[in-house]
Amino acid sequence: MTMALTNAFVLLFSCVLAISFCVWGKPATFLDDFQITWSDSRIRQIDGGKAIQLVLDQNSGCGFASKRKYLFGRVSMKIKLIPGDAAGTVTAFYMNSDTDTVRDELDFEFLGNRSGQPYTVQTNIYAHGKGDREQRVNLWFDPSADFHTYTIMWNHHHIVFYVDDVPIRVYKNNEARNIPFPKFQPMGVYSTLWEADDWATRGGLEKIDWSKAPFLAYYKDFDIEGCPVPGPASCASNTGSWWEGSTYQALNAMEARRYRWVRMNHMIYDYCTDKSRYPVIPPECIAGI
């Protein structure tokens, strides 16, 4: 047995001993972890399945989902959004428990806009069936010019939404204050491209221009690292998983500075401050991050 092979065996054996189940993260090909769930003719594989193109036209949008559900971990994708006049379109990347009455869900929704206007990303969190926690941020770059990484980190301590390495939203586990936190239901990973011009752009004032169709979005570097369900029951509760480590239990100093910068300079809507919807501030807003 060569030294390299011996070292690999020792690493694998140590991993199994330490956490009972080890999830190897990798930029996977599309079909490794995902399947088409809506309009397969509008999802095209590129570069041997390492990337895909999603198509929206007047007949239909499209969507895909992970083959398995996961309980805690990190999910990321690189996405290049629709260029030019994308008003009325929504490109969504989210996790969902697929349970109607007590749904858990973590949403990225990219809201298209008129040419020259900034792209808006809306995040939302459903915990134990309660949602309506929208926040909106105008992206500080053109997300249609190149790929950018969008990540959901989910552990027992908090949920963090990242754009590249910049945290744009944090939802802390404040169960001690009787605030619901998703931790019991595994969630699948989903993405859709669809028309929503009744609300997506300026509250529905800007309608989709079908003369600009087809609308195209691109994805690559699919990366899921987490506890698959079904899978070993010990995985989700194991504090030895890397995403449960002390490094990931709170934002570090640099992340905290970036987070404050986003909220001060690029946030355009926060349900926590919308007194027309919430005359009484929601408890998780008072609890903070």
Side-chain angles (χ1 to χ4, degrees), residues 23-55:
V23 179
W24 297 101
K26 63 186 188 312
T29 62
F30 175 70
L31 291 179
D32 283 345
D33 291 329
F34 296 95
Q35 58 193 354
I36 298 171
T37 55
W38 174 29
S39 192
D40 57 358
S41 65
R42 289 175 175 80
I43 296 182
R44 301 164 183 168
Q45 295 189 55
I46 302 169
D47 192 19
K50 293 180 181 178
I52 58 170
Q53 177 194 70
L54 271 63
V55 180

PDB file of all heavy atoms in Angstrom, residues 23-55:
ATOM      1  N   VAL A  23     -19.671  13.605   5.233  1.00  0.00           N
ATOM      2  CA  VAL A  23     -20.215  14.055   3.973  1.00  0.00           C
ATOM      3  C   VAL A  23     -19.124  14.803   3.227  1.00  0.00           C
ATOM      4  O   VAL A  23     -18.597  15.796   3.710  1.00  0.00           O
ATOM      5  CB  VAL A  23     -21.437  14.966   4.195  1.00  0.00           C
ATOM      6  CG1 VAL A  23     -21.977  15.457   2.868  1.00  0.00           C
ATOM      7  CG2 VAL A  23     -22.529  14.217   4.956  1.00  0.00           C
ATOM      8  N   TRP A  24     -18.767  14.307   2.056  1.00  0.00           N
ATOM      9  CA  TRP A  24     -17.707  14.938   1.279  1.00  0.00           C
ATOM     10  C   TRP A  24     -18.333  15.971   0.369  1.00  0.00           C
ATOM     11  O   TRP A  24     -19.168  15.673  -0.469  1.00  0.00           O
ATOM     12  CB  TRP A  24     -16.976  13.893   0.443  1.00  0.00           C
ATOM     13  CG  TRP A  24     -16.283  12.867   1.272  1.00  0.00           C
ATOM     14  CD1 TRP A  24     -16.708  11.603   1.547  1.00  0.00           C
ATOM     15  CD2 TRP A  24     -15.044  13.021   1.967  1.00  0.00           C
ATOM     16  NE1 TRP A  24     -15.812  10.960   2.354  1.00  0.00           N
ATOM     17  CE2 TRP A  24     -14.782  11.805   2.623  1.00  0.00           C
ATOM     18  CE3 TRP A  24     -14.132  14.060   2.090  1.00  0.00           C
ATOM     19  CZ2 TRP A  24     -13.654  11.600   3.398  1.00  0.00           C
ATOM     20  CZ3 TRP A  24     -12.999  13.862   2.861  1.00  0.00           C
ATOM     21  CH2 TRP A  24     -12.768  12.645   3.492  1.00  0.00           C
ATOM     22  N   GLY A  25     -17.903  17.226   0.507  1.00  0.00           N
ATOM     23  CA  GLY A  25     -18.413  18.278  -0.351  1.00  0.00           C
ATOM     24  C   GLY A  25     -17.596  18.351  -1.628  1.00  0.00           C
ATOM     25  O   GLY A  25     -16.392  18.155  -1.623  1.00  0.00           O
ATOM     26  N   LYS A  26     -18.246  18.638  -2.714  1.00  0.00           N
ATOM     27  CA  LYS A  26     -17.547  18.771  -3.992  1.00  0.00           C
ATOM     28  C   LYS A  26     -18.431  19.566  -4.937  1.00  0.00           C
ATOM     29  O   LYS A  26     -19.654  19.515  -4.837  1.00  0.00           O
ATOM     30  CB  LYS A  26     -17.274  17.399  -4.599  1.00  0.00           C
ATOM     31  CG  LYS A  26     -18.548  16.622  -4.938  1.00  0.00           C
ATOM     32  CD  LYS A  26     -18.273  15.230  -5.400  1.00  0.00           C
ATOM     33  CE  LYS A  26     -19.506  14.512  -5.919  1.00  0.00           C
ATOM     34  NZ  LYS A  26     -20.660  14.608  -5.037  1.00  0.00           N
ATOM     35  N   PRO A  27     -17.858  20.288  -5.869  1.00  0.00           N
ATOM     36  CA  PRO A  27     -18.660  20.836  -6.962  1.00  0.00           C
ATOM     37  C   PRO A  27     -19.111  19.677  -7.851  1.00  0.00           C
ATOM     38  O   PRO A  27     -18.335  19.143  -8.643  1.00  0.00           O
ATOM     39  CB  PRO A  27     -17.683  21.772  -7.696  1.00  0.00           C
ATOM     40  CG  PRO A  27     -16.575  22.014  -6.715  1.00  0.00           C
ATOM     41  CD  PRO A  27     -16.484  20.761  -5.905  1.00  0.00           C
ATOM     42  N   ALA A  28     -20.334  19.228  -7.676  1.00  0.00           N
ATOM     43  CA  ALA A  28     -20.827  18.035  -8.349  1.00  0.00           C
ATOM     44  C   ALA A  28     -21.344  18.377  -9.747  1.00  0.00           C
ATOM     45  O   ALA A  28     -21.610  19.527 -10.073  1.00  0.00           O
ATOM     46  CB  ALA A  28     -21.954  17.413  -7.538  1.00  0.00           C
ATOM     47  N   THR A  29     -21.474  17.348 -10.582  1.00  0.00           N
ATOM     48  CA  THR A  29     -22.243  17.534 -11.795  1.00  0.00           C
ATOM     49  C   THR A  29     -23.714  17.593 -11.413  1.00  0.00           C
ATOM     50  O   THR A  29     -24.122  17.116 -10.345  1.00  0.00           O
ATOM     51  CB  THR A  29     -22.011  16.385 -12.789  1.00  0.00           C
ATOM     52  OG1 THR A  29     -22.453  15.164 -12.198  1.00  0.00           O
ATOM     53  CG2 THR A  29     -20.540  16.281 -13.167  1.00  0.00           C
ATOM     54  N   PHE A  30     -24.502  18.160 -12.268  1.00  0.00           N
ATOM     55  CA  PHE A  30     -25.909  18.390 -11.966  1.00  0.00           C
ATOM     56  C   PHE A  30     -26.627  17.101 -11.579  1.00  0.00           C
ATOM     57  O   PHE A  30     -27.332  17.040 -10.563  1.00  0.00           O
ATOM     58  CB  PHE A  30     -26.582  19.038 -13.177  1.00  0.00           C
ATOM     59  CG  PHE A  30     -28.058  19.216 -13.026  1.00  0.00           C
ATOM     60  CD1 PHE A  30     -28.583  20.135 -12.133  1.00  0.00           C
ATOM     61  CD2 PHE A  30     -28.940  18.459 -13.791  1.00  0.00           C
ATOM     62  CE1 PHE A  30     -29.945  20.302 -11.989  1.00  0.00           C
ATOM     63  CE2 PHE A  30     -30.314  18.628 -13.659  1.00  0.00           C
ATOM     64  CZ  PHE A  30     -30.820  19.550 -12.761  1.00  0.00           C
ATOM     65  N   LEU A  31     -26.438  16.048 -12.358  1.00  0.00           N
ATOM     66  CA  LEU A  31     -27.192  14.819 -12.126  1.00  0.00           C
ATOM     67  C   LEU A  31     -26.685  14.006 -10.946  1.00  0.00           C
ATOM     68  O   LEU A  31     -27.331  13.050 -10.532  1.00  0.00           O
ATOM     69  CB  LEU A  31     -27.204  13.964 -13.396  1.00  0.00           C
ATOM     70  CG  LEU A  31     -28.030  14.542 -14.557  1.00  0.00           C
ATOM     71  CD1 LEU A  31     -27.944  13.623 -15.776  1.00  0.00           C
ATOM     72  CD2 LEU A  31     -29.487  14.754 -14.150  1.00  0.00           C
ATOM     73  N   ASP A  32     -25.526  14.366 -10.389  1.00  0.00           N
ATOM     74  CA  ASP A  32     -25.063  13.677  -9.185  1.00  0.00           C
ATOM     75  C   ASP A  32     -26.039  13.869  -8.035  1.00  0.00           C
ATOM     76  O   ASP A  32     -26.342  12.933  -7.288  1.00  0.00           O
ATOM     77  CB  ASP A  32     -23.689  14.201  -8.764  1.00  0.00           C
ATOM     78  CG  ASP A  32     -22.567  13.651  -9.617  1.00  0.00           C
ATOM     79  OD1 ASP A  32     -22.808  12.663 -10.333  1.00  0.00           O
ATOM     80  OD2 ASP A  32     -21.464  14.221  -9.582  1.00  0.00           O
ATOM     81  N   ASP A  33     -26.495  15.099  -7.864  1.00  0.00           N
ATOM     82  CA  ASP A  33     -27.303  15.435  -6.689  1.00  0.00           C
ATOM     83  C   ASP A  33     -28.709  15.927  -7.008  1.00  0.00           C
ATOM     84  O   ASP A  33     -29.538  16.041  -6.099  1.00  0.00           O
ATOM     85  CB  ASP A  33     -26.599  16.519  -5.858  1.00  0.00           C
ATOM     86  CG  ASP A  33     -25.333  16.008  -5.191  1.00  0.00           C
ATOM     87  OD1 ASP A  33     -25.295  14.810  -4.860  1.00  0.00           O
ATOM     88  OD2 ASP A  33     -24.387  16.793  -5.004  1.00  0.00           O
ATOM     89  N   PHE A  34     -28.988  16.217  -8.290  1.00  0.00           N
ATOM     90  CA  PHE A  34     -30.250  16.878  -8.630  1.00  0.00           C
ATOM     91  C   PHE A  34     -31.005  16.147  -9.722  1.00  0.00           C
ATOM     92  O   PHE A  34     -30.458  15.332 -10.455  1.00  0.00           O
ATOM     93  CB  PHE A  34     -29.984  18.325  -9.082  1.00  0.00           C
ATOM     94  CG  PHE A  34     -29.406  19.196  -8.006  1.00  0.00           C
ATOM     95  CD1 PHE A  34     -28.039  19.382  -7.893  1.00  0.00           C
ATOM     96  CD2 PHE A  34     -30.234  19.827  -7.082  1.00  0.00           C
ATOM     97  CE1 PHE A  34     -27.499  20.167  -6.903  1.00  0.00           C
ATOM     98  CE2 PHE A  34     -29.704  20.620  -6.082  1.00  0.00           C
ATOM     99  CZ  PHE A  34     -28.340  20.792  -5.982  1.00  0.00           C
ATOM    100  N   GLN A  35     -32.294  16.504  -9.809  1.00  0.00           N
ATOM    101  CA  GLN A  35     -33.140  15.992 -10.875  1.00  0.00           C
ATOM    102  C   GLN A  35     -34.087  17.108 -11.324  1.00  0.00           C
ATOM    103  O   GLN A  35     -34.434  17.998 -10.535  1.00  0.00           O
ATOM    104  CB  GLN A  35     -33.940  14.775 -10.399  1.00  0.00           C
ATOM    105  CG  GLN A  35     -34.823  15.044  -9.198  1.00  0.00           C
ATOM    106  CD  GLN A  35     -35.351  13.774  -8.575  1.00  0.00           C
ATOM    107  OE1 GLN A  35     -35.156  12.677  -9.090  1.00  0.00           O
ATOM    108  NE2 GLN A  35     -36.036  13.910  -7.439  1.00  0.00           N
ATOM    109  N   ILE A  36     -34.494  17.063 -12.573  1.00  0.00           N
ATOM    110  CA  ILE A  36     -35.418  18.057 -13.101  1.00  0.00           C
ATOM    111  C   ILE A  36     -36.826  17.737 -12.609  1.00  0.00           C
ATOM    112  O   ILE A  36     -37.267  16.597 -12.660  1.00  0.00           O
ATOM    113  CB  ILE A  36     -35.366  18.075 -14.638  1.00  0.00           C
ATOM    114  CG1 ILE A  36     -33.962  18.479 -15.098  1.00  0.00           C
ATOM    115  CG2 ILE A  36     -36.410  19.026 -15.214  1.00  0.00           C
ATOM    116  CD1 ILE A  36     -33.731  18.326 -16.592  1.00  0.00           C
ATOM    117  N   THR A  37     -37.512  18.738 -12.127  1.00  0.00           N
ATOM    118  CA  THR A  37     -38.858  18.547 -11.582  1.00  0.00           C
ATOM    119  C   THR A  37     -39.930  19.265 -12.378  1.00  0.00           C
ATOM    120  O   THR A  37     -41.122  19.031 -12.168  1.00  0.00           O
ATOM    121  CB  THR A  37     -38.918  19.040 -10.129  1.00  0.00           C
ATOM    122  OG1 THR A  37     -38.473  20.405 -10.063  1.00  0.00           O
ATOM    123  CG2 THR A  37     -38.056  18.170  -9.224  1.00  0.00           C
ATOM    124  N   TRP A  38     -39.520  20.168 -13.272  1.00  0.00           N
ATOM    125  CA  TRP A  38     -40.503  20.965 -13.998  1.00  0.00           C
ATOM    126  C   TRP A  38     -39.912  21.358 -15.351  1.00  0.00           C
ATOM    127  O   TRP A  38     -38.871  21.976 -15.410  1.00  0.00           O
ATOM    128  CB  TRP A  38     -40.868  22.198 -13.160  1.00  0.00           C
ATOM    129  CG  TRP A  38     -41.758  23.204 -13.816  1.00  0.00           C
ATOM    130  CD1 TRP A  38     -42.695  22.969 -14.781  1.00  0.00           C
ATOM    131  CD2 TRP A  38     -41.805  24.619 -13.555  1.00  0.00           C
ATOM    132  NE1 TRP A  38     -43.320  24.138 -15.147  1.00  0.00           N
ATOM    133  CE2 TRP A  38     -42.796  25.163 -14.399  1.00  0.00           C
ATOM    134  CE3 TRP A  38     -41.103  25.454 -12.690  1.00  0.00           C
ATOM    135  CZ2 TRP A  38     -43.107  26.529 -14.402  1.00  0.00           C
ATOM    136  CZ3 TRP A  38     -41.412  26.806 -12.694  1.00  0.00           C
ATOM    137  CH2 TRP A  38     -42.403  27.340 -13.525  1.00  0.00           C
ATOM    138  N   SER A  39     -40.578  20.920 -16.411  1.00  0.00           N
ATOM    139  CA  SER A  39     -40.253  21.322 -17.783  1.00  0.00           C
ATOM    140  C   SER A  39     -38.817  20.972 -18.171  1.00  0.00           C
ATOM    141  O   SER A  39     -37.961  21.841 -18.340  1.00  0.00           O
ATOM    142  CB  SER A  39     -40.494  22.830 -17.959  1.00  0.00           C
ATOM    143  OG  SER A  39     -40.446  23.189 -19.319  1.00  0.00           O
ATOM    144  N   ASP A  40     -38.572  19.667 -18.333  1.00  0.00           N
ATOM    145  CA  ASP A  40     -37.206  19.212 -18.581  1.00  0.00           C
ATOM    146  C   ASP A  40     -36.626  19.744 -19.890  1.00  0.00           C
ATOM    147  O   ASP A  40     -35.405  19.855 -20.029  1.00  0.00           O
ATOM    148  CB  ASP A  40     -37.120  17.691 -18.539  1.00  0.00           C
ATOM    149  CG  ASP A  40     -38.056  17.003 -19.517  1.00  0.00           C
ATOM    150  OD1 ASP A  40     -38.816  17.703 -20.222  1.00  0.00           O
ATOM    151  OD2 ASP A  40     -38.035  15.767 -19.581  1.00  0.00           O
ATOM    152  N   SER A  41     -37.466  20.131 -20.845  1.00  0.00           N
ATOM    153  CA  SER A  41     -36.939  20.654 -22.109  1.00  0.00           C
ATOM    154  C   SER A  41     -36.339  22.042 -21.948  1.00  0.00           C
ATOM    155  O   SER A  41     -35.640  22.525 -22.862  1.00  0.00           O
ATOM    156  CB  SER A  41     -38.052  20.703 -23.165  1.00  0.00           C
ATOM    157  OG  SER A  41     -39.061  21.633 -22.797  1.00  0.00           O
ATOM    158  N   ARG A  42     -36.573  22.684 -20.815  1.00  0.00           N
ATOM    159  CA  ARG A  42     -36.063  24.040 -20.584  1.00  0.00           C
ATOM    160  C   ARG A  42     -34.862  24.072 -19.638  1.00  0.00           C
ATOM    161  O   ARG A  42     -34.444  25.144 -19.211  1.00  0.00           O
ATOM    162  CB  ARG A  42     -37.188  24.940 -20.068  1.00  0.00           C
ATOM    163  CG  ARG A  42     -38.216  25.246 -21.155  1.00  0.00           C
ATOM    164  CD  ARG A  42     -39.409  26.038 -20.652  1.00  0.00           C
ATOM    165  NE  ARG A  42     -40.275  26.377 -21.763  1.00  0.00           N
ATOM    166  CZ  ARG A  42     -41.155  25.534 -22.315  1.00  0.00           C
ATOM    167  NH1 ARG A  42     -41.266  24.301 -21.825  1.00  0.00           N
ATOM    168  NH2 ARG A  42     -41.906  25.914 -23.338  1.00  0.00           N
ATOM    169  N   ILE A  43     -34.341  22.909 -19.291  1.00  0.00           N
ATOM    170  CA  ILE A  43     -33.094  22.843 -18.526  1.00  0.00           C
ATOM    171  C   ILE A  43     -32.083  22.080 -19.358  1.00  0.00           C
ATOM    172  O   ILE A  43     -32.270  20.904 -19.669  1.00  0.00           O
ATOM    173  CB  ILE A  43     -33.306  22.168 -17.153  1.00  0.00           C
ATOM    174  CG1 ILE A  43     -34.261  23.018 -16.299  1.00  0.00           C
ATOM    175  CG2 ILE A  43     -31.972  21.984 -16.438  1.00  0.00           C
ATOM    176  CD1 ILE A  43     -34.495  22.476 -14.903  1.00  0.00           C
ATOM    177  N   ARG A  44     -31.018  22.768 -19.738  1.00  0.00           N
ATOM    178  CA  ARG A  44     -30.038  22.210 -20.658  1.00  0.00           C
ATOM    179  C   ARG A  44     -28.701  22.044 -19.943  1.00  0.00           C
ATOM    180  O   ARG A  44     -28.207  22.979 -19.310  1.00  0.00           O
ATOM    181  CB  ARG A  44     -29.875  23.143 -21.864  1.00  0.00           C
ATOM    182  CG  ARG A  44     -31.188  23.367 -22.614  1.00  0.00           C
ATOM    183  CD  ARG A  44     -31.127  24.560 -23.545  1.00  0.00           C
ATOM    184  NE  ARG A  44     -32.418  24.802 -24.189  1.00  0.00           N
ATOM    185  CZ  ARG A  44     -32.720  25.908 -24.863  1.00  0.00           C
ATOM    186  NH1 ARG A  44     -31.818  26.870 -24.992  1.00  0.00           N
ATOM    187  NH2 ARG A  44     -33.917  26.040 -25.410  1.00  0.00           N
ATOM    188  N   GLN A  45     -28.138  20.856 -20.050  1.00  0.00           N
ATOM    189  CA  GLN A  45     -26.841  20.594 -19.435  1.00  0.00           C
ATOM    190  C   GLN A  45     -25.714  21.096 -20.334  1.00  0.00           C
ATOM    191  O   GLN A  45     -25.777  20.971 -21.553  1.00  0.00           O
ATOM    192  CB  GLN A  45     -26.686  19.102 -19.153  1.00  0.00           C
ATOM    193  CG  GLN A  45     -27.684  18.586 -18.121  1.00  0.00           C
ATOM    194  CD  GLN A  45     -27.385  17.174 -17.704  1.00  0.00           C
ATOM    195  OE1 GLN A  45     -26.284  16.859 -17.262  1.00  0.00           O
ATOM    196  NE2 GLN A  45     -28.369  16.294 -17.839  1.00  0.00           N
ATOM    197  N   ILE A  46     -24.711  21.663 -19.693  1.00  0.00           N
ATOM    198  CA  ILE A  46     -23.567  22.241 -20.391  1.00  0.00           C
ATOM    199  C   ILE A  46     -22.292  21.637 -19.812  1.00  0.00           C
ATOM    200  O   ILE A  46     -22.237  21.330 -18.616  1.00  0.00           O
ATOM    201  CB  ILE A  46     -23.552  23.774 -20.212  1.00  0.00           C
ATOM    202  CG1 ILE A  46     -24.866  24.398 -20.725  1.00  0.00           C
ATOM    203  CG2 ILE A  46     -22.360  24.411 -20.919  1.00  0.00           C
ATOM    204  CD1 ILE A  46     -25.027  25.850 -20.352  1.00  0.00           C
ATOM    205  N   ASP A  47     -21.282  21.476 -20.648  1.00  0.00           N
ATOM    206  CA  ASP A  47     -19.968  21.018 -20.196  1.00  0.00           C
ATOM    207  C   ASP A  47     -20.073  19.694 -19.437  1.00  0.00           C
ATOM    208  O   ASP A  47     -19.566  19.547 -18.325  1.00  0.00           O
ATOM    209  CB  ASP A  47     -19.305  22.089 -19.331  1.00  0.00           C
ATOM    210  CG  ASP A  47     -17.835  21.804 -19.058  1.00  0.00           C
ATOM    211  OD1 ASP A  47     -17.241  21.009 -19.816  1.00  0.00           O
ATOM    212  OD2 ASP A  47     -17.296  22.358 -18.078  1.00  0.00           O
ATOM    213  N   GLY A  48     -20.766  18.751 -20.040  1.00  0.00           N
ATOM    214  CA  GLY A  48     -20.886  17.424 -19.444  1.00  0.00           C
ATOM    215  C   GLY A  48     -21.653  17.402 -18.140  1.00  0.00           C
ATOM    216  O   GLY A  48     -21.428  16.517 -17.305  1.00  0.00           O
ATOM    217  N   GLY A  49     -22.570  18.346 -17.961  1.00  0.00           N
ATOM    218  CA  GLY A  49     -23.376  18.385 -16.749  1.00  0.00           C
ATOM    219  C   GLY A  49     -22.752  19.173 -15.617  1.00  0.00           C
ATOM    220  O   GLY A  49     -23.333  19.255 -14.530  1.00  0.00           O
ATOM    221  N   LYS A  50     -21.594  19.797 -15.856  1.00  0.00           N
ATOM    222  CA  LYS A  50     -20.977  20.607 -14.811  1.00  0.00           C
ATOM    223  C   LYS A  50     -21.696  21.944 -14.650  1.00  0.00           C
ATOM    224  O   LYS A  50     -21.551  22.622 -13.622  1.00  0.00           O
ATOM    225  CB  LYS A  50     -19.500  20.847 -15.118  1.00  0.00           C
ATOM    226  CG  LYS A  50     -18.652  19.580 -15.052  1.00  0.00           C
ATOM    227  CD  LYS A  50     -17.199  19.877 -15.375  1.00  0.00           C
ATOM    228  CE  LYS A  50     -16.359  18.617 -15.326  1.00  0.00           C
ATOM    229  NZ  LYS A  50     -14.937  18.875 -15.684  1.00  0.00           N
ATOM    230  N   ALA A  51     -22.459  22.325 -15.653  1.00  0.00           N
ATOM    231  CA  ALA A  51     -23.242  23.556 -15.597  1.00  0.00           C
ATOM    232  C   ALA A  51     -24.580  23.297 -16.283  1.00  0.00           C
ATOM    233  O   ALA A  51     -24.726  22.337 -17.056  1.00  0.00           O
ATOM    234  CB  ALA A  51     -22.503  24.702 -16.276  1.00  0.00           C
ATOM    235  N   ILE A  52     -25.553  24.152 -16.009  1.00  0.00           N
ATOM    236  CA  ILE A  52     -26.855  24.037 -16.657  1.00  0.00           C
ATOM    237  C   ILE A  52     -27.372  25.420 -17.026  1.00  0.00           C
ATOM    238  O   ILE A  52     -26.969  26.436 -16.454  1.00  0.00           O
ATOM    239  CB  ILE A  52     -27.900  23.318 -15.764  1.00  0.00           C
ATOM    240  CG1 ILE A  52     -28.085  24.056 -14.429  1.00  0.00           C
ATOM    241  CG2 ILE A  52     -27.558  21.869 -15.562  1.00  0.00           C
ATOM    242  CD1 ILE A  52     -29.264  23.527 -13.611  1.00  0.00           C
ATOM    243  N   GLN A  53     -28.267  25.428 -17.990  1.00  0.00           N
ATOM    244  CA  GLN A  53     -28.962  26.645 -18.401  1.00  0.00           C
ATOM    245  C   GLN A  53     -30.452  26.457 -18.138  1.00  0.00           C
ATOM    246  O   GLN A  53     -31.042  25.436 -18.514  1.00  0.00           O
ATOM    247  CB  GLN A  53     -28.745  26.890 -19.895  1.00  0.00           C
ATOM    248  CG  GLN A  53     -29.482  28.101 -20.461  1.00  0.00           C
ATOM    249  CD  GLN A  53     -29.506  28.074 -21.982  1.00  0.00           C
ATOM    250  OE1 GLN A  53     -30.185  27.253 -22.602  1.00  0.00           O
ATOM    251  NE2 GLN A  53     -28.725  28.961 -22.591  1.00  0.00           N
ATOM    252  N   LEU A  54     -31.070  27.420 -17.455  1.00  0.00           N
ATOM    253  CA  LEU A  54     -32.509  27.425 -17.234  1.00  0.00           C
ATOM    254  C   LEU A  54     -33.147  28.430 -18.184  1.00  0.00           C
ATOM    255  O   LEU A  54     -32.602  29.528 -18.395  1.00  0.00           O
ATOM    256  CB  LEU A  54     -32.856  27.804 -15.791  1.00  0.00           C
ATOM    257  CG  LEU A  54     -32.927  26.651 -14.774  1.00  0.00           C
ATOM    258  CD1 LEU A  54     -31.574  25.979 -14.628  1.00  0.00           C
ATOM    259  CD2 LEU A  54     -33.421  27.148 -13.423  1.00  0.00           C
ATOM    260  N   VAL A  55     -34.308  28.068 -18.744  1.00  0.00           N
ATOM    261  CA  VAL A  55     -34.967  28.880 -19.763  1.00  0.00           C
ATOM    262  C   VAL A  55     -36.394  29.199 -19.313  1.00  0.00           C
ATOM    263  O   VAL A  55     -37.134  28.313 -18.874  1.00  0.00           O
ATOM    264  CB  VAL A  55     -35.005  28.140 -21.116  1.00  0.00           C
ATOM    265  CG1 VAL A  55     -35.696  28.991 -22.174  1.00  0.00           C
ATOM    266  CG2 VAL A  55     -33.599  27.760 -21.560  1.00  0.00           C
TER     267      VAL A  55
END
